[in-house]
């Protein structure tokens, strides 16, 4: 049976996150479909988990519940975070090579290489010259050193293009030449990839602009497992409850949302925000204080529920009328949008990037001008004041991209790549 | 005669300065001059052995005497000391053993007892005598000796009051820092608190006792307001601080003990001892040199004084190859040796990433040169680099840190590639194949010495695209200037290839044997620049040029892994050295530069490729013009050729692909004359001599024809060989021809910036050679497209190359700006009524039209060829189209221009036995019912055969010109052994040539053949088309064939014609093989 190896920078059991959640779901779906044998390697160790390698003399350990799921332990200090490669290449030429030689996968599907390094791809090609390599692009990390956000570091202004000069402006301590080398280094490793998968058109376009071959990037949104539908929330005359789900970071626009709520509170506007967000405590002090201050100032209209388990999400989402996604960065294919679509909740979102792509204004939700709390307040006011609008939008939501369709496409892709690689190998 | 020691001359003291180095004090009268006659002898058995000894007259409180140093050989038994003797004019005197042993003491006691009482004025000499003893006796200094010398110095030297630092103190001095520039040169800094520090007498004393007084040229003063404030001064003294460069007569290795003594104008003497150890770090040395340069002002006096020390820095390095380690299998017979000295490893992986994707590395010997400090890091990483990046490389480990030049020289010692590429660790190739492209420029450029890429910053601007020398702005030195540095690389002025005055040492390629012949890289320059300029100047001295190619590399110089001096300091030090060594040569080079404005003007920068009046770097360079005096018995009475002249060009055609021809001719009898410029048998340009020339009329006032003797024309060079030799002929009305001059020149390869998606495979051949069959075969290959070979014989490439040549002719493009309109193709200008003007009021536009415009036009023509075949590929859908195949004649235009514009293109020369060709043409003409292939131009088959000799010679000439890059195919091989012929041919093309592909190509072409060949075939079967001449030609025709083709057939390997009339006298040599 054809063996597919998934590589990811994290596993959801260690720390929740969109890319890793999707990667794990895909792995499960492919495994259950039975056509391919599956294998999963997730990076473990700092910073995604606090534990160092569990077994002496090896970087590898098993998840435990599934013998096909490995942890590969690396320490953040081992990785040159600018170039995205390990300082000591032995991790690739010995540890990773040995893993590949033992397992001999027929397909290697990289979901993420953060904290592992792009040279995982290079070495995979060295060891397995005829094996298809697929790389799913989850954000702009190869392009943008600023956590792959394509947002300027100080101003948080949107950035539409990386260049050594522009990147150096964000990181004055890193030279332009280093950014120049960074791009060439990463691209050289990614040359080994046979097919990239981009879950949004805007992401795909951005990578094409960056120089990845257009014909090598396939657009395919994340597939999501079907969920149990629940009833629409009761219509109490107006759809006044808004929910925010996600992390509270400076890129997610929670401060903009709270500013908008402050405006509405000052108007005594009848609206309520359920703020379900985690990780505020890990944020920079200034941002933390700003959010706390805004929470204090908007306590009449904002319920801060803090972090939640994924299992609680359905219930929380069932209780709100609208889901708001106010991100300041472009986003890729935010899972929260998919989840809102799965649960039939119209979405109020920033008018940029994949948020605007996934939520068409007036169809599945409403757009507001990114970073503009007044615009957001206007849109919330309009949304809450017009019950027919909610019904209209709700009626046009057809759910998220289903995992079964996604699985079919992914499986077809695997088969095609295997076939073309086999031809190439035979020709050699 | 041996005499006993007289009482007046006795050994008073002795001490071991170091192992094998003895110091003695001998008391007794004598004069200073006596030491000149002294010899010291050790007696070994019955044999006397002369020892290395010298003496210094000392007078002290204890009386007059001699300080003697003696070097003892290692093999001298210790007891020989007891039988020392010395000899002077009065004879030999022997020292009794007991006397030495009784006076032997420690160095300190020796100094205290015998030297501390030496007259004050002689103490400096004593210390210097001791400090130099080691060197004098050929011994290696040791730390032990240094320590003893320091101890002795402190006992011998005169001491002065130490500085007191408090307000109100009148004089004070502080030696703050001592930096070793090398073992003898030191940079000292501090301050002097004195009303007039510049008038104070300053002396420095090295730890070993060498006293030195820097002259005014080597000490500079500057304000130290902090010092003035400390002493409560209200005004700032502009000279309180000082920097001094001192050079010792002996090396100094000690870390501590430097003393500074100052005698003020008031006569006070004070001293201060350095409070910190001598700083010998590289950083401090670089900083010191930088300060030295900065403090030097414009006159370079201090720097000039420092130059010997700076030059010594690298030459004194004890840096040799320690170990060579190979990682992976390096190519056994490399084309290139790429030597990269490293001072850091942070760029190595980036270089390997680029090399990993470059097929050139398969034939490159990659050599990294390492100082010891990097060994451990590289030893740990190198195996993983090889495993991860899959590029084999060699590590050359040095015994000590070496300068860049030393590292290059050591690293290149094992280079076996024909071409050596020197590259800094912060240069990153921009594209695969760059070494090949540079080597092509190297190999194709006559008189080339070195080539280099354009070096770009990471933002794409020019970092270095060649160096020129300009007069220094502040001093009488030549400075290296990097024109257009920081400007866009897209500026035409910095496009390559261009000849330049010098190349950067950051990246340059030259023949390995040439590098060795000129002595490698000079190690005298301070790291950070200068080596490349020196190398280029040495090549120029040998008559070899430096060129920048149309290849780019990134030079991430700001983060250079090679720690250099402050750039200003580096530049000035190295420029000074370059000027000292090469001043006259640089001046001559600069004098030849085109007068395009002041050296620093923008215009001059734009013209920087033009390095001399010989217009090197311009598209056309006239190398020689030979004017031939008319014979008195000929049809010419007088003639002269005024242009071109070697190295000169008139304004309107300067820097273009054309050149002007101008002169005058007078026929004997005053008849009309035509003037032709010819390339062999081909007339390139012609005109009538009809212009009025006052100079000719003045010379020949009474001659008929003198009023209309002048001629002028402009000749385009596209289609000529790159080195050409043309004739200028005067032709009379009745066809009499006289050559009046020959012009030798060379022209630059025509390049365009167009990047074609398909490369050409030209089939250069004549008619009836099976070329359609070959084209059909090619068209069936999955990587080749061809347009209906049998039906149409497309000549798309020839069409556009001819169009290009026509429009690139000066006669055509000048019509755009100075038109003379007439009926017909006026834009070609061939029939322009008046000659082309040689001078135009504004030269820039005609120059642009004749240079950049031509190159853009070439790109346009390429784009149309590309578009045609890309569209064809879209329709035909070959699997992986890489080539288009097309026939062309072996003429002077298409194959040459295509070869220049498509360096990656291919050319197949298809020949067929010319006798069979004759049969085939005659048969084909008969089949079609009309004459063609040239037969229509002749009156008989016999004449036609002779006529075909020209075509046969053209094929041979084409093969001779291109055999280094083209592939020869014989029709007969193609017909009789198609599989092997195609396999070899496909291999030459670099396309699939496995048996299955070859079979499929033949099968597929054969399947099409019945439909297309019917009209073409003239023999009963294809196989019978080989050797048909044996049965079809009459004996007479065979004889004529032998006469017409015998030598060419022989050259192409065909059997001779078995006739009695064979012209046995012909040989391959006779046709220039």
């Amino acid at each position: 049976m054809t063996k597919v190896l998934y590589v990811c920078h994290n596993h959801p059991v260690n720390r929740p996150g969109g890319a890793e959640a999707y990667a794990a779901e895909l792995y499960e779906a492919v495994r259950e479909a039975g056509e391919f044998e599956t294998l999963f390697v997730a990076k473990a160790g700092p910073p995604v988990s606090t534990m160092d390698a569990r077994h002496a003399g090896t970087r590898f350990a098993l998840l435990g519940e599934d013998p096909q799921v490995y942890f590969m332990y690396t320490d953040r200090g081992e990785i040159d975070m600018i170039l995205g490669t390990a300082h000591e290449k032995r991790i690739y030429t010995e540890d990773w090579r040995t893993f590949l030689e033992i397992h001999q996968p027929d397909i290697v599907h990289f979901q993420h290489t953060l904290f592992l390094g792009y040279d995982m791809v290079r070495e995979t090609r060295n060891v397995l010259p005829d094996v298809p390599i697929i790389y799913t692009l989850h954000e702009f990390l190869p392009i943008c050193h600023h956590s792959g956000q394509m947002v300027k570091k100080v101003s948080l202004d949107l950035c539409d293009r990386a260049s050594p000069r522009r990147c150096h402006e964000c990181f004055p301590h890193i030279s332009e030449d280093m950014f120049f080398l960074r791009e060439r280094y990463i691209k050289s490793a990614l040359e080994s990839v046979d097919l990239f998968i981009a879950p949004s058109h805007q992401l795909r376009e951005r990578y094409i602009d960056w120089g990845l071959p257009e014909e090598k990037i396939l657009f395919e949104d994340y597939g999501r497992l079907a969920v149990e539908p629940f009833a629409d929330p009761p219509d109490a005359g107006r759809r006044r409850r808004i929910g925010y789900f996600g992390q509270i970071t400076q890129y997610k626009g929670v401060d903009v949302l709270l500013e908008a709520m402050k405006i509405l509170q000052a108007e005594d506007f009848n609206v309520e925000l359920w703020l379900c967000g985690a990780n505020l405590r890990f944020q920079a002090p200034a941002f933390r204080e700003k959010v706390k201050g805004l929470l204090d100032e908007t306590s009449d209209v904002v319920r801060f529920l803090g972090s939640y388990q994924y299992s609680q999400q359905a219930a929380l989402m069932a209780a709100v009328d609208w889901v708001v996604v106010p991100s300041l960065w472009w986003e890729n294919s935010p899972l929260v949008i998919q989840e809102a679509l799965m649960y039939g909740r119209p979405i109020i979102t920033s008018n940029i990037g994949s948020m605007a792509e996934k939520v068409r204004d007036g169809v599945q939700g409403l757009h507001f001008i990114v970073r503009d709390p007044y615009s957001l307040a206007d849109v919330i006011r309009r949304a809450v004041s017009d019950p027919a609008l909610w019904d209209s939008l709700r009626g046009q939501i057809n759910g998220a991209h289903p995992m079964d369709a996604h699985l079919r496409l992914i499986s077809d892709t695997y088969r095609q790549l295997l076939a073309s690689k086999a031809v190439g190998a035979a020709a050699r | 005669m041996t005499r006993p020691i007289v009482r007046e001359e006795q050994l008073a003291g002795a001490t071991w300065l170091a192992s094998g180095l003895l110091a003695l004090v001998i008391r007794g009268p004598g004069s200073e001059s006596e030491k000149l006659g002294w010899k010291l002898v050790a007696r070994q058995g019955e044999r006397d052995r002369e020892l290395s000894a010298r003496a210094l007259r000392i007078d002290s409180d204890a009386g007059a005497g001699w300080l003697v140093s003696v070097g003892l050989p290692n093999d001298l038994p210790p007891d020989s000391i007891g039988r020392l003797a010395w000899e002077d004019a009065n004879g030999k005197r022997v020292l009794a053993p007991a006397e030495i042993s009784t006076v032997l003491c420690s160095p300190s006691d020796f100094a205290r007892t015998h030297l501390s009482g030496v007259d004050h004025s002689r103490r400096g000499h004593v210390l210097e005598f001791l400090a130099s003893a080691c060197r004098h006796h050929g011994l290696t200094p040791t730390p032990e000796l240094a320590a003893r010398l320091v101890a002795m110095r402190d006992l011998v030297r005169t001491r002065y009051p130490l500085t007191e630092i408090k307000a109100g103190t009148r004089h004070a001095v502080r030696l703050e820092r001592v930096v070793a520039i090398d073992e003898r040169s030191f940079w000292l800094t501090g301050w002097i608190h004195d009303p007039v520090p510049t008038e104070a007498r300053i002396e420095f004393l090295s730890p070993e006792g060498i006293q030195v007084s820097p002259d005014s040229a080597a000490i500079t003063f500057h304000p130290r307001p902090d010092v003035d404030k400390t002493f409560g001064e209200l005004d700032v003294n502009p000279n309180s601080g000082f920097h001094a460069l001192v050079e010792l007569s002996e090396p100094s290795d000690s870390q501590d003990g430097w003393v500074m003594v100052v005698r003020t104008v008031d006569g006070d003497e004070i001293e201060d001892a350095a409070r910190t150890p001598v700083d010998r770090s590289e950083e401090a040395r670089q900083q010191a040199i930088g300060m030295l340069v900065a403090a030097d002002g414009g006159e370079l006096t201090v720097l000039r004084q420092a130059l010997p020390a700076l030059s010594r820095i690298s030459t004194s390095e004890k840096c040799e190859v320690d170990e060579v380690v190979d990682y992976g299998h390096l190519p056994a017979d490399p084309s290139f040796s790429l030597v990269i000295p490293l001072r850091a490893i942070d760029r190595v992986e980036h270089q390997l990433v680029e090399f990993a994707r470059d097929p050139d590395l398969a034939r490159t010997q990659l050599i990294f040169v390492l100082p010891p400090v990097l060994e451990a890091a590289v030893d740990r990483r190198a195996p993983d680099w090889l495993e991860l990046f899959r590029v084999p490389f060699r590590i050359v480990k040095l015994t000590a840190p070496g300068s860049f030049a030393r590292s290059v020289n050591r690293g290149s010692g094992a280079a076996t590639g024909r071409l050596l590429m020197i590259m800094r660790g912060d240069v990153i190739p921009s594209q695969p194949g760059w070494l090949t492209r540079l080597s092509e420029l190297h190999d194709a450029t006559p008189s080339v010495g070195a080539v280099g890429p354009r070096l770009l910053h990471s933002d794409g601007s020019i970092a270095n695209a060649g160096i020129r020398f300009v007069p220094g702005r502040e001093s009488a030195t030549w400075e290296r200037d990097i024109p257009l540095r920081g400007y866009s690389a897209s500026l035409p002025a910095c496009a390559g290839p261009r000849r330049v005055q010098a190349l950067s040492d950051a990246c340059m390629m030259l023949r390995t044997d040439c590098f060795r012949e000129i002595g490698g890289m000079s190690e005298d320059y301070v790291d950070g620049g200068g080596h490349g300029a020196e190398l280029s100047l040495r090549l120029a001295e040998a008559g070899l040029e430096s060129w920048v190619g149309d290849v780019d590399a990134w030079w991430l110089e700001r983060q250079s892994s090679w720690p250099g001096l402050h750039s200003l300091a580096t530049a000035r030090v190295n420029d000074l050295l370059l000027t000292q060594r090469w001043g006259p040569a640089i001046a001559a080079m600069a004098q030849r530069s085109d007068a395009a404005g002041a050296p620093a003007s923008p215009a001059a920068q734009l013209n920087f490729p033009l390095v001399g009046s010989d217009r090197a770097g311009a598209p056309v360079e006239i190398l020689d013009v030979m004017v031939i005096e008319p014979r008195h018995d000929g049809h010419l009475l007088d003639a002269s050729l005024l242009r071109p002249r070697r190295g000169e060009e008139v304004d309107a055609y300067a820097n273009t692909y054309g050149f002007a021809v101008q002169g005058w001719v007078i026929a004997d009898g005053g008849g009309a004359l035509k003037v032709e410029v010819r390339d062999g048998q081909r007339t390139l340009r012609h005109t009538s001599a009809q212009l009025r020339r006052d100079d000719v009329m003045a010379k020949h006032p009474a001659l008929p024809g003198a009023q209309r003797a002048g001629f002028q024309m402009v000749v385009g060079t596209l289609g000529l060989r790159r080195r050409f030799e043309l004739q200028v002929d005067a032709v009379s009305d009745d066809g009499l021809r006289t050559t009046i001059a020959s012009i030798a020149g060379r022209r630059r390869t025509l390049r365009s910036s167009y990047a074609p998606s398909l490369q050409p495979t030209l089939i250069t051949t004549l008619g009836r050679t099976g070329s359609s069959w070959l084209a059909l075969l090619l068209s069936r290959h999955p990587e080749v497209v061809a347009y209906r070979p049998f039906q149409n014989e497309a000549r798309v490439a020839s069409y556009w190359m001819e169009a290009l040549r026509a429009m690139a002719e000066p006669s055509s493009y000048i019509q755009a700006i100075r038109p003379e309109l007439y009926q017909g193709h006026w834009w070609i200008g061939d029939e322009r009524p008046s000659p082309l003007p040689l001078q135009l009021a504004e030269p820039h536009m005609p120059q642009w039209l004749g240079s950049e415009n031509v190159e853009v036009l070439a790109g346009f023509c390429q784009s149309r060829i590309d578009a045609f075949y890309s569209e064809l590929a879209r329709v035909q859908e070959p699997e992986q189209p890489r080539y288009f195949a097309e026939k062309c004649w072996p003429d002077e235009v298409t194959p040459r221009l295509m070869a220049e514009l498509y360096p990656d293109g291919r050319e197949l020369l298809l020949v067929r036995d010319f006798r069979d060709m004759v049969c085939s043409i005659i048969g084909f003409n008969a089949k079609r019912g009309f004459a063609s292939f040239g037969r229509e131009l002749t009156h008989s088959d016999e004449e036609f055969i002779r006529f075909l000799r020209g075509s046969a010679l053209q094929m041979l000439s084409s093969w001779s010109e291109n055999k280094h890059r083209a592939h020869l195919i014989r029709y007969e091989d193609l017909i009789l052994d198609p599989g092997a012929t195609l396999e070899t041919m496909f291999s030459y093309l670099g396309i699939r040539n496995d048996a299955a592909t070859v079979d499929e190509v033949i099968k597929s072409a054969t399947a099409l053949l019945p439909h297309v060949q019917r009209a073409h075939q003239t023999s009963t079967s294809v196989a019978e088309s080989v050797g048909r001449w044996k049965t079809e030609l009459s004996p007479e025709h065979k004889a004529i064939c032998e006469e017409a083709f015998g030598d060419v057939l022989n050259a192409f390997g065909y059997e001779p014609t078995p006739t009695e009339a064979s012209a046995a006298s012909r040989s391959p040599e006779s046709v220039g093989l």
Side-chain angles (χ1 to χ4, degrees), chain A residues 36-50:
Chain A
F36 302 101
E37 183 184 346
T38 50
L39 197 60
F40 196 105
V41 172
K43 178 252 180 321
V48 299
S49 68
T50 53

Side-chain angles (χ1 to χ4, degrees), chain B residues 254-292:
Chain B
S254 298
Q255 287 300 96
D256 300 296
W258 276 85
V259 173
M260 176 185 183
V261 178
V262 171
R263 180 178 291 121
T264 69
V265 288
D266 300 338
D268 293 342
E269 291 179 307
I270 50 176
E271 71 170 44
D272 188 48
R275 287 134 203 264
T276 55
V278 175
D279 194 339
R280 297 180 188 277
S281 68
E282 181 64 24
E283 292 72 18
R285 186 170 72 169
Q286 306 288 0
Q287 188 188 11
I289 298 172
M291 289 164 65
L292 187 153

Side-chain angles (χ1 to χ4, degrees), chain A residues 188-199:
Chain A
S188 75
L190 295 182
E191 278 176 7
S192 299
V193 174
D194 295 298
L195 184 74
F196 297 92
I197 295 177

Side-chain angles (χ1 to χ4, degrees), chain A residues 49-306:
Chain A
S49 68
T50 53
M51 289 174 64
D52 290 331
R54 301 215 306 265
H55 310 304
T58 176
R59 291 184 181 276
F60 294 96
L62 285 172
L63 171 70
E65 298 90 1
D66 182 343
Q68 295 295 88
V69 179
Y70 283 91
F71 286 131
M72 180 175 176
Y73 285 85
T74 64
D75 195 314
R76 184 176 187 153
E78 288 185 287
I79 305 294
D80 177 338
M81 295 302 290
I82 299 172
L83 295 175
T85 182
H87 298 293
E88 299 287 342
K89 303 294 187 263
R90 204 156 299 177
I91 182 175
Y92 310 119
T93 59
E94 287 188 3
D95 301 326
W96 183 236
R97 178 179 298 188
T98 303
F99 183 91
L100 292 172
E101 286 173 346
I102 287 173
H103 281 289
Q104 291 290 332
D106 302 297
I107 295 170
V108 182
H109 188 156
F110 287 94
Q111 289 291 348
H112 220 304
T113 49
L114 180 65
F115 306 124
L116 292 170
Y118 300 101
D119 281 321
M120 294 281 279
V121 181
R122 196 190 309 270
E123 182 61 12
T124 301
R125 175 57 72 231
N126 286 340
V127 179
L128 306 168
D130 298 320
V131 161
I133 298 177
I134 301 155
Y135 194 108
T136 295
L137 301 162
H138 291 288
E139 70 315 80
F140 306 108
L141 205 56
I143 304 175
C144 174
H145 181 56
H146 189 203
S147 305
Q149 305 290 293
M150 296 293 286
V151 170
K152 294 191 176 172
K153 191 157 189 298
V154 176
S155 65
L156 300 187
D157 287 343
L158 291 167
C159 175
D160 59 2
R161 186 166 51 87
S163 77
R165 181 187 59 76
R166 294 161 69 102
C167 297
H168 173 63
E169 284 173 2
C170 274
F171 297 91
H173 64 289
I174 303 173
S175 69
E176 284 185 44
D177 286 351
M178 180 47 76
F179 280 113
F180 173 83
L181 292 170
R182 175 186 188 274
E183 179 178 333
R184 293 181 78 87
Y185 194 91
I186 294 172
K187 279 182 173 173
S188 75
L190 295 182
E191 278 176 7
S192 299
V193 174
D194 295 298
L195 184 74
F196 297 92
I197 295 177
S200 73
H201 289 292
Q202 65 108 15
L203 191 87
R204 181 173 182 273
E205 293 302 317
R206 198 61 60 84
Y207 274 96
I208 291 169
D209 289 346
W210 188 57
L212 292 190
E214 185 174 359
E215 67 278 8
K216 281 178 87 169
I217 312 181
L218 172 73
F219 162 72
E220 168 64 6
D221 204 349
Y222 297 137
R224 300 310 305 267
L225 297 170
V227 295
E228 287 294 321
F230 44 68
D232 292 341
D235 177 1
R238 56 193 304 169
R239 297 289 182 185
R240 57 180 289 275
R241 188 174 292 167
I242 298 165
Y244 172 89
F245 301 88
Q247 301 193 62
I248 302 179
T249 72
Q250 57 179 344
Y251 311 117
K252 292 293 186 180
V254 171
D255 49 343
V256 176
L257 175 58
L258 291 173
E259 295 274 10
M261 295 307 292
K262 188 174 156 187
I263 294 166
L264 294 170
Q265 178 180 281
E267 298 170 1
D268 284 334
F269 190 76
N270 185 11
V271 65
E272 184 179 13
L273 170 66
W274 284 22
L275 188 61
C276 310
N279 294 339
L280 179 61
R281 68 180 186 279
F282 298 125
Q283 304 308 307
F287 179 75
R288 211 165 50 216
E289 292 309 312
K290 180 181 181 185
V291 170
K292 282 181 177 173
L294 284 167
L295 283 171
D296 288 344
E297 292 176 66
T298 56
S299 56
D300 292 349
V301 290
V302 177
R303 284 183 65 192
F304 181 44
L305 302 178

Side-chain angles (χ1 to χ4, degrees), chain B residues 236-365:
Chain B
V236 172
N237 188 325
N239 297 314
S240 293
F242 72 86
H243 299 299
L245 175 73
V246 299
E247 177 134 352
L248 303 177
S249 57
E250 298 297 327
S252 172
D253 295 328
S254 298
Q255 287 300 96
D256 300 296
W258 276 85
V259 173
M260 176 185 183
V261 178
V262 171
R263 180 178 291 121
T264 69
V265 288
D266 300 338
D268 293 342
E269 291 179 307
I270 50 176
E271 71 170 44
D272 188 48
R275 287 134 203 264
T276 55
V278 175
D279 194 339
R280 297 180 188 277
S281 68
E282 181 64 24
E283 292 72 18
R285 186 170 72 169
Q286 306 288 0
Q287 188 188 11
I289 298 172
M291 289 164 65
L292 187 153
V293 172
D296 197 49
E299 298 306 314
L300 300 179
T301 43
V302 176
L303 198 56
R304 211 177 294 278
Q305 189 158 334
L307 206 54
L310 301 178
S311 295
R312 264 201 320 268
I313 290 173
S314 50
T315 50
S316 63
E317 292 169 353
K318 298 174 181 65
C319 163
E320 302 298 334
V321 173
D322 183 30
E323 187 184 7
V324 175
V325 185
D326 283 356
Y327 291 89
H329 299 292
L330 277 80
D333 184 20
S335 303
F336 311 105
S337 291
L338 175 51
V339 177
I340 307 176
L342 296 178
R343 285 294 285 270
I345 59 168
D346 59 336
R347 296 287 189 268
V348 173
E349 290 172 9
H350 296 282
Q351 290 182 320
L352 289 172
V353 158
E354 304 297 337
F355 297 152
R357 62 171 91 170
D358 188 346
D360 278 353
L361 263 290
R363 52 197 188 103
T364 300
Q365 184 184 42

